[in-house]
Amino acid sequence: MERERGLRLASYKQPCLKRRLAVRMRARGVHGYGDYAALLDRAPEEYDLLLDALTINVTKFFRNPEAWAALRERVVAPLVAGAGPIAVWSAGCASGEEPYSLALEFLERPWGGGAGGGKRGATPAARLRLEATDLDPGAVAAARAARYAAPAVAEVPAAWLRRWFSPGPPFLLDPAVARLVRFAVHDLTREAAPAPPYHLIACRNVVIYFDRPAQERLFERFADALLPGGWLWLGKVETLFGRARERFVLEEPRERLFRRL
Ligand SMILES: C[S@@+](CC[C@H](N)C(=O)[O-])C[C@H]1O[C@@H](n2cnc3c(N)ncnc32)[C@H](O)[C@@H]1O
């Protein structure tokens, strides 16, 4: 798998990996790992199906709305109110709902000297650098297409849905928003951060699939990639541990917002 597709299976939790392999083996009627390996050699299209089974793309706009409310208040508003460029990375972005939600959060703040105190005259596009990456090329292609079914947009505030999407379904995201996000295929278990330093790294519901050493390595890379005072945002059931833990303060325990020292 690593040879064929560059996916480092050793970084994934064994039980999770075994469950997903079992799904594919059942689907192909294969009983042992050796037979499945032989099948992968014989039928290269099976690699794509296995990759799909391993990379669970479940996501939606504004997933866990309470966490987004905390992000808005603690992170987005102060960044917009400050001056200078803002760099954000959505790591493990699946089909784009998370980075596009981030784009909407920034767009919907009062910029240009409004009540939020954004820098006068600076547009979001001019100040914001928003990168989004995922291991799964299919997910990245879907993210670039920016077309969404109704369940994906269920948590989008009604006024924002009217303003930034075509009437759907499918709901097409306004190209002005889509253009704010730069997507790339990227493997968190083996590649460095794309273009540090960042003010915010969102990596939610991704590290739970990795084993402990892989998580620890990744957290250290996140710490290195963040500016002092920058934010790391994990998923609801994820936590920071290992050497990198000492480089962060847990500012919002429920919403898993950590701040780099
Ligand atoms: C459950 S989705 C999370 C999407 C989004 N962050 C959210 O919270 O809604 C997990 C994503 O992690 C990606 N992923 C899994 N292993 C990865 C890796 N090694 N590098 C980058 N992304 C990975 C999967 O392809 C999938 O799109």
Side-chain angles (χ1 to χ4, degrees), residues 6-8 11-12 51-52 54-64 68 89-99 133-137 139-140 185-191 202-210 218 234-235 238:
L7 178 59
R8 185 185 285 174
S11 297
Y12 287 78
L51 182 65
D52 273 354
L54 284 170
T55 54
I56 303 150
N57 301 140
V58 177
T59 185
K60 64 197 296 203
F61 279 84
F62 302 101
R63 180 179 192 173
N64 305 121
W68 285 88
W89 177 23
S90 167
C93 67
S95 35
E97 289 86 335
E98 180 181 277
T133 60
D134 199 278
L135 175 70
D136 179 355
V140 170
V185 174
H186 174 276
D187 185 349
L188 288 166
T189 64
R190 39 196 280 153
E191 290 174 86
C203 186
R204 304 170 70 213
N205 310 298
V206 179
V207 299
I208 42 171
Y209 305 118
F210 301 162
L218 182 59
L234 298 180
E238 293 165 333

Coordinates of all heavy atoms in Angstrom, one line a residue, residues 6-8 11-12 51-52 54-64 68 89-99 133-137 139-140 185-191 202-210 218 234-235 238, ligand 1:
G6 N 1.6 5.4 -1.4 CA 2.2 6.3 -0.4 C 1.5 6.4 0.9 O 1.7 7.3 1.7
L7 N 0.6 5.4 1.2 CA -0.2 5.4 2.4 C 0.5 4.6 3.4 O 0.8 3.4 3.2 CB -1.6 4.9 2.2 CG -2.5 4.8 3.4 CD1 -2.7 6.2 4.0 CD2 -3.9 4.2 3.1
R8 N 0.9 5.2 4.6 CA 1.7 4.5 5.6 C 0.7 3.9 6.6 O 0.3 4.5 7.6 CB 2.6 5.5 6.3 CG 3.5 4.8 7.3 CD 4.4 5.8 8.0 NE 5.5 6.3 7.2 CZ 6.3 7.3 7.7 NH1 6.1 7.8 8.8 NH2 7.2 7.7 6.9
S11 N 1.0 3.7 10.7 CA 0.6 4.8 11.6 C -0.9 4.7 12.0 O -1.3 5.5 12.9 CB 0.8 6.1 10.9 OG 2.1 6.3 10.6
Y12 N -1.6 3.8 11.5 CA -3.0 3.7 11.8 C -3.2 2.7 13.0 O -2.5 1.8 13.1 CB -3.9 3.3 10.6 CG -4.0 4.4 9.6 CD1 -3.0 4.8 8.8 CD2 -5.1 5.2 9.6 CE1 -3.1 5.8 7.9 CE2 -5.2 6.3 8.7 CZ -4.2 6.6 7.9 OH -4.3 7.7 7.0
L51 N -8.4 2.4 -0.1 CA -8.2 3.8 0.4 C -9.5 4.5 0.8 O -9.5 5.1 1.9 CB -7.5 4.6 -0.7 CG -7.2 6.1 -0.4 CD1 -6.1 6.1 0.7 CD2 -6.7 6.8 -1.6
D52 N -10.5 4.3 0.1 CA -11.9 4.8 0.5 C -12.3 4.3 1.8 O -12.8 5.0 2.6 CB -12.9 4.4 -0.6 CG -13.0 5.4 -1.7 OD1 -12.3 6.4 -1.6 OD2 -13.7 5.1 -2.7
L54 N -10.4 3.2 4.2 CA -9.6 3.6 5.3 C -9.7 5.1 5.6 O -9.4 5.5 6.7 CB -8.1 3.4 4.9 CG -7.6 2.0 4.9 CD1 -6.3 1.8 4.3 CD2 -7.6 1.5 6.4
T55 N -10.2 5.9 4.7 CA -10.3 7.3 4.9 C -11.7 7.7 5.0 O -12.4 7.8 4.0 CB -9.6 8.1 3.8 OG1 -10.2 7.7 2.6 CG2 -8.1 7.9 3.7
I56 N -12.2 7.8 6.3 CA -13.6 8.0 6.5 C -13.9 9.5 6.4 O -13.3 10.3 7.1 CB -14.0 7.5 7.9 CG1 -13.6 6.0 8.0 CG2 -15.4 7.7 8.2 CD1 -13.2 5.6 9.3
N57 N -14.7 9.8 5.4 CA -14.8 11.2 5.0 C -16.1 11.9 5.7 O -16.5 12.9 5.2 CB -14.9 11.4 3.5 CG -13.7 10.9 2.8 OD1 -13.8 10.2 1.7 ND2 -12.5 11.1 3.3
V58 N -16.6 11.3 6.7 CA -17.8 11.9 7.3 C -17.5 13.3 7.8 O -16.6 13.6 8.5 CB -18.3 11.1 8.5 CG1 -19.5 11.7 9.2 CG2 -18.6 9.7 8.1
T59 N -18.3 14.3 7.4 CA -18.1 15.7 7.8 C -19.4 16.5 7.4 O -20.3 16.0 6.8 CB -16.9 16.3 7.1 OG1 -16.6 17.6 7.6 CG2 -17.0 16.3 5.6
K60 N -19.5 17.7 7.9 CA -20.5 18.6 7.5 C -20.1 20.0 7.8 O -19.1 20.3 8.5 CB -21.8 18.3 8.2 CG -21.8 18.4 9.7 CD -22.9 17.7 10.4 CE -24.3 18.3 10.0 NZ -25.3 18.0 11.0
F61 N -20.8 21.0 7.2 CA -20.5 22.4 7.5 C -20.8 22.6 9.0 O -21.8 22.1 9.5 CB -21.4 23.3 6.7 CG -20.8 23.6 5.3 CD1 -21.1 22.7 4.3 CD2 -20.0 24.7 5.0 CE1 -20.6 22.9 3.0 CE2 -19.5 24.9 3.7 CZ -19.8 24.0 2.7
F62 N -20.0 23.4 9.7 CA -20.2 23.7 11.1 C -20.5 22.5 12.0 O -21.4 22.6 12.8 CB -21.3 24.8 11.2 CG -20.9 26.1 10.5 CD1 -21.5 26.3 9.2 CD2 -20.0 26.9 10.9 CE1 -21.1 27.5 8.5 CE2 -19.6 28.1 10.2 CZ -20.2 28.3 9.0
R63 N -19.7 21.5 11.8 CA -19.9 20.3 12.6 C -19.6 20.6 14.1 O -18.6 21.3 14.4 CB -18.9 19.2 12.1 CG -18.9 17.9 12.9 CD -17.8 17.0 12.3 NE -18.0 15.7 12.7 CZ -17.3 14.7 12.2 NH1 -16.4 14.9 11.3 NH2 -17.4 13.5 12.7
N64 N -20.5 20.2 15.0 CA -20.5 20.7 16.4 C -20.6 22.2 16.5 O -19.6 22.8 16.8 CB -19.2 20.2 17.1 CG -19.0 18.7 17.0 OD1 -18.0 18.2 16.5 ND2 -20.0 17.9 17.4
W68 N -17.9 25.7 17.1 CA -17.7 26.9 16.2 C -18.0 28.2 16.9 O -17.3 29.2 16.6 CB -18.6 26.7 14.9 CG -18.0 25.7 14.0 CD1 -18.3 24.3 14.0 CD2 -17.1 25.9 12.9 NE1 -17.5 23.7 13.0 CE2 -16.8 24.6 12.4 CE3 -16.5 27.0 12.4 CZ2 -15.9 24.5 11.3 CZ3 -15.6 26.9 11.4 CH2 -15.3 25.6 10.8
W89 N -4.8 26.6 8.5 CA -4.7 25.3 7.8 C -5.7 24.3 8.4 O -5.8 24.1 9.6 CB -3.3 24.7 8.1 CG -3.0 23.3 7.5 CD1 -3.7 22.7 6.5 CD2 -2.0 22.4 8.0 NE1 -3.1 21.5 6.3 CE2 -2.1 21.2 7.2 CE3 -1.0 22.4 9.0 CZ2 -1.3 20.1 7.3 CZ3 -0.2 21.3 9.2 CH2 -0.3 20.2 8.3
S90 N -6.6 23.8 7.5 CA -7.5 22.8 7.8 C -6.9 21.4 7.4 O -6.8 21.1 6.2 CB -8.8 23.0 7.1 OG -9.7 21.9 7.1
A91 N -6.4 20.7 8.3 CA -5.7 19.4 8.1 C -6.6 18.2 8.2 O -7.1 18.0 9.3 CB -4.5 19.3 9.0
G92 N -6.8 17.5 7.1 CA -7.8 16.4 7.1 C -9.1 17.0 6.8 O -10.1 16.8 7.6
C93 N -9.2 17.7 5.7 CA -10.4 18.6 5.4 C -11.5 17.8 4.8 O -12.6 18.4 4.5 CB -9.9 19.7 4.5 SG -9.5 19.2 2.9
A94 N -11.3 16.5 4.4 CA -12.4 15.7 3.8 C -12.9 16.5 2.5 O -12.1 17.0 1.8 CB -13.5 15.3 4.7
S95 N -14.2 16.5 2.3 CA -14.7 17.1 1.1 C -15.0 18.6 1.2 O -15.7 19.2 0.4 CB -16.0 16.4 0.7 OG -16.8 16.0 1.8
G96 N -14.3 19.3 2.1 CA -14.2 20.8 2.1 C -15.1 21.5 3.0 O -15.0 22.7 3.2
E97 N -16.0 20.8 3.7 CA -17.0 21.5 4.5 C -16.3 22.3 5.7 O -16.8 23.4 6.0 CB -18.0 20.5 5.1 CG -19.0 19.9 4.1 CD -18.4 18.7 3.4 OE1 -17.2 18.5 3.3 OE2 -19.2 17.9 2.9
E98 N -15.3 21.7 6.3 CA -14.6 22.4 7.4 C -13.9 23.7 6.9 O -14.1 24.8 7.4 CB -13.7 21.5 8.1 CG -12.9 22.1 9.2 CD -12.0 21.1 9.9 OE1 -12.4 20.3 10.7 OE2 -10.8 21.1 9.5
P99 N -13.0 23.6 5.9 CA -12.3 24.8 5.5 C -13.3 25.9 4.9 O -13.1 27.1 5.1 CB -11.3 24.4 4.4 CG -11.8 23.0 4.0 CD -12.5 22.4 5.2
T133 N -6.0 20.4 3.4 CA -5.4 19.2 2.8 C -6.1 18.0 3.3 O -6.7 17.9 4.4 CB -3.9 19.1 3.3 OG1 -3.8 19.1 4.7 CG2 -3.1 20.3 2.8
D134 N -6.0 16.9 2.5 CA -6.5 15.6 2.9 C -5.7 14.5 2.1 O -5.2 14.8 1.0 CB -8.0 15.5 2.6 CG -8.6 14.3 3.3 OD1 -8.5 13.1 2.9 OD2 -9.2 14.6 4.4
L135 N -5.6 13.4 2.7 CA -4.9 12.2 2.1 C -5.6 11.7 0.9 O -5.0 11.2 0.0 CB -4.8 11.1 3.2 CG -4.3 9.8 2.8 CD1 -2.8 10.0 2.6 CD2 -4.5 8.8 3.8
D136 N -6.9 11.9 0.9 CA -7.8 11.2 -0.1 C -8.0 12.1 -1.3 O -8.7 13.1 -1.2 CB -9.1 10.8 0.6 CG -10.1 10.1 -0.3 OD1 -9.8 10.0 -1.5 OD2 -11.2 9.7 0.2
P137 N -7.4 11.7 -2.5 CA -7.6 12.6 -3.7 C -9.1 12.8 -4.1 O -9.4 13.8 -4.6 CB -6.8 11.8 -4.7 CG -6.0 10.8 -4.0 CD -6.6 10.5 -2.7
A139 N -11.6 13.0 -2.0 CA -12.2 14.0 -1.2 C -11.8 15.4 -1.6 O -12.6 16.3 -1.6 CB -11.8 13.7 0.3
V140 N -10.5 15.5 -2.0 CA -10.0 16.8 -2.4 C -10.7 17.3 -3.7 O -11.1 18.4 -3.8 CB -8.5 16.8 -2.5 CG1 -7.9 18.0 -3.2 CG2 -7.8 16.6 -1.2
V185 N -3.5 17.5 -1.9 CA -3.4 16.2 -1.3 C -2.2 16.1 -0.4 O -1.1 16.6 -0.8 CB -3.3 15.1 -2.4 CG1 -3.1 13.7 -1.8 CG2 -4.6 15.1 -3.2
H186 N -2.3 15.6 0.8 CA -1.2 15.7 1.8 C -1.4 14.6 2.8 O -2.5 14.4 3.3 CB -1.2 17.1 2.4 CG -0.3 17.3 3.5 ND1 -0.5 17.0 4.8 CD2 1.0 17.9 3.5 CE1 0.5 17.3 5.6 NE2 1.4 17.9 4.8
D187 N -0.3 13.9 3.2 CA -0.4 12.9 4.2 C 0.2 13.4 5.5 O 1.4 13.6 5.6 CB 0.4 11.6 3.7 CG 0.2 10.5 4.7 OD1 -0.3 10.6 5.8 OD2 0.6 9.3 4.3
L188 N -0.7 13.5 6.5 CA -0.3 14.0 7.8 C 0.7 13.1 8.5 O 1.4 13.5 9.4 CB -1.5 14.2 8.7 CG -2.4 15.4 8.4 CD1 -3.7 15.3 9.1 CD2 -1.7 16.7 8.7
T189 N 0.7 11.8 8.2 CA 1.7 10.9 8.9 C 3.1 11.0 8.3 O 4.0 10.4 8.9 CB 1.2 9.4 8.8 OG1 1.2 9.0 7.4 CG2 -0.2 9.3 9.4
R190 N 3.3 11.6 7.2 CA 4.6 11.6 6.6 C 5.1 12.9 6.0 O 6.3 13.0 5.7 CB 4.8 10.5 5.6 CG 3.5 10.3 4.7 CD 3.5 9.0 4.0 NE 4.3 9.1 2.8 CZ 5.0 8.1 2.2 NH1 4.9 6.9 2.8 NH2 5.7 8.3 1.2
E191 N 4.2 13.9 5.9 CA 4.7 15.2 5.3 C 4.7 16.3 6.2 O 3.9 16.4 7.2 CB 3.8 15.5 4.1 CG 3.9 14.5 2.9 CD 2.9 14.8 1.8 OE1 3.2 15.7 1.0 OE2 1.9 14.2 1.8
A202 N -6.7 23.7 12.2 CA -7.9 22.8 12.6 C -7.6 21.4 12.1 O -7.3 21.2 10.9 CB -9.1 23.4 11.9
C203 N -7.5 20.5 13.0 CA -7.3 19.1 12.7 C -8.3 18.3 13.5 O -8.0 17.8 14.6 CB -5.9 18.7 12.9 SG -5.6 17.0 12.3
R204 N -9.5 18.2 13.0 CA -10.6 17.6 13.8 C -11.1 16.3 13.3 O -11.3 16.1 12.1 CB -11.8 18.6 13.8 CG -11.4 20.0 14.3 CD -12.5 21.0 14.1 NE -13.7 20.7 14.9 CZ -15.0 20.9 14.6 NH1 -15.2 21.4 13.3 NH2 -15.9 20.7 15.4
N205 N -11.2 15.3 14.2 CA -11.7 14.0 13.8 C -10.8 13.3 12.8 O -11.3 12.6 11.9 CB -13.1 14.1 13.3 CG -14.0 14.9 14.3 OD1 -14.2 14.5 15.4 ND2 -14.5 16.1 13.9
V206 N -9.5 13.5 12.9 CA -8.6 12.9 12.1 C -7.6 12.0 12.9 O -7.4 10.8 12.6 CB -7.7 13.9 11.3 CG1 -6.7 13.2 10.4 CG2 -8.7 14.8 10.5
V207 N -7.0 12.6 13.9 CA -5.9 11.9 14.7 C -6.5 10.6 15.4 O -5.7 9.8 15.7 CB -5.2 12.8 15.7 CG1 -4.5 13.9 14.9 CG2 -6.1 13.3 16.8
I208 N -7.8 10.5 15.6 CA -8.3 9.4 16.3 C -8.0 8.1 15.5 O -8.0 7.0 16.1 CB -9.8 9.4 16.5 CG1 -10.6 9.9 15.3 CG2 -10.2 10.2 17.8 CD1 -12.1 9.8 15.5
Y209 N -7.7 8.2 14.2 CA -7.4 7.0 13.5 C -5.9 6.6 13.6 O -5.6 5.5 13.2 CB -7.7 7.1 12.0 CG -9.1 7.6 11.8 CD1 -9.5 8.8 11.2 CD2 -10.2 6.7 12.2 CE1 -10.8 9.2 11.0 CE2 -11.5 7.1 12.0 CZ -11.8 8.3 11.4 OH -13.1 8.7 11.2
F210 N -5.1 7.5 14.1 CA -3.7 7.2 14.2 C -3.3 6.6 15.5 O -3.9 6.9 16.6 CB -2.9 8.5 14.1 CG -3.1 9.3 12.8 CD1 -2.8 10.6 12.7 CD2 -3.7 8.7 11.7 CE1 -3.0 11.3 11.5 CE2 -4.0 9.4 10.5 CZ -3.6 10.7 10.4
L218 N 2.8 14.0 15.1 CA 2.0 15.0 14.4 C 1.8 16.3 15.3 O 2.0 17.4 14.9 CB 0.7 14.4 14.0 CG -0.3 15.3 13.3 CD1 0.4 15.8 12.0 CD2 -1.6 14.6 13.0
L234 N -8.8 20.6 17.9 CA -8.9 19.2 17.7 C -10.4 18.9 17.7 O -11.3 19.7 18.1 CB -8.2 18.4 18.8 CG -6.6 18.6 18.8 CD1 -6.0 17.7 19.9 CD2 -6.0 18.2 17.5
G235 N -10.7 17.6 17.4 CA -12.1 17.1 17.5 C -12.6 16.9 18.9 O -11.7 16.8 19.8
E238 N -10.9 14.2 20.9 CA -9.5 14.1 20.7 C -8.7 14.9 21.8 O -9.3 15.9 22.2 CB -9.1 14.5 19.3 CG -9.6 13.6 18.3 CD -9.5 14.1 16.9 OE1 -9.6 15.4 16.7 OE2 -9.5 13.3 15.9
Ligands
LIG1 C1 -13.8 12.2 9.6 S1 -13.0 13.1 8.4 C2 -12.8 14.7 9.3 C3 -13.2 15.8 8.4 C4 -13.3 17.2 9.1 N1 -12.0 17.6 9.7 C5 -14.3 17.2 10.2 O1 -14.0 17.2 11.4 O2 -15.5 17.2 9.9 C6 -11.4 12.4 8.5 C7 -10.5 12.8 7.3 O3 -9.1 12.5 7.6 C8 -8.5 12.1 6.4 N2 -7.3 11.3 6.7 C9 -7.1 10.1 7.2 N3 -5.8 9.8 7.2 C10 -5.1 10.9 6.8 C11 -3.7 11.2 6.7 N4 -2.8 10.3 7.0 N5 -3.4 12.4 6.2 C12 -4.3 13.3 5.9 N6 -5.7 13.1 6.1 C13 -6.0 11.9 6.5 C14 -9.6 11.2 5.8 O4 -9.3 11.1 4.4 C15 -10.8 12.0 6.1 O5 -11.2 12.9 5.0

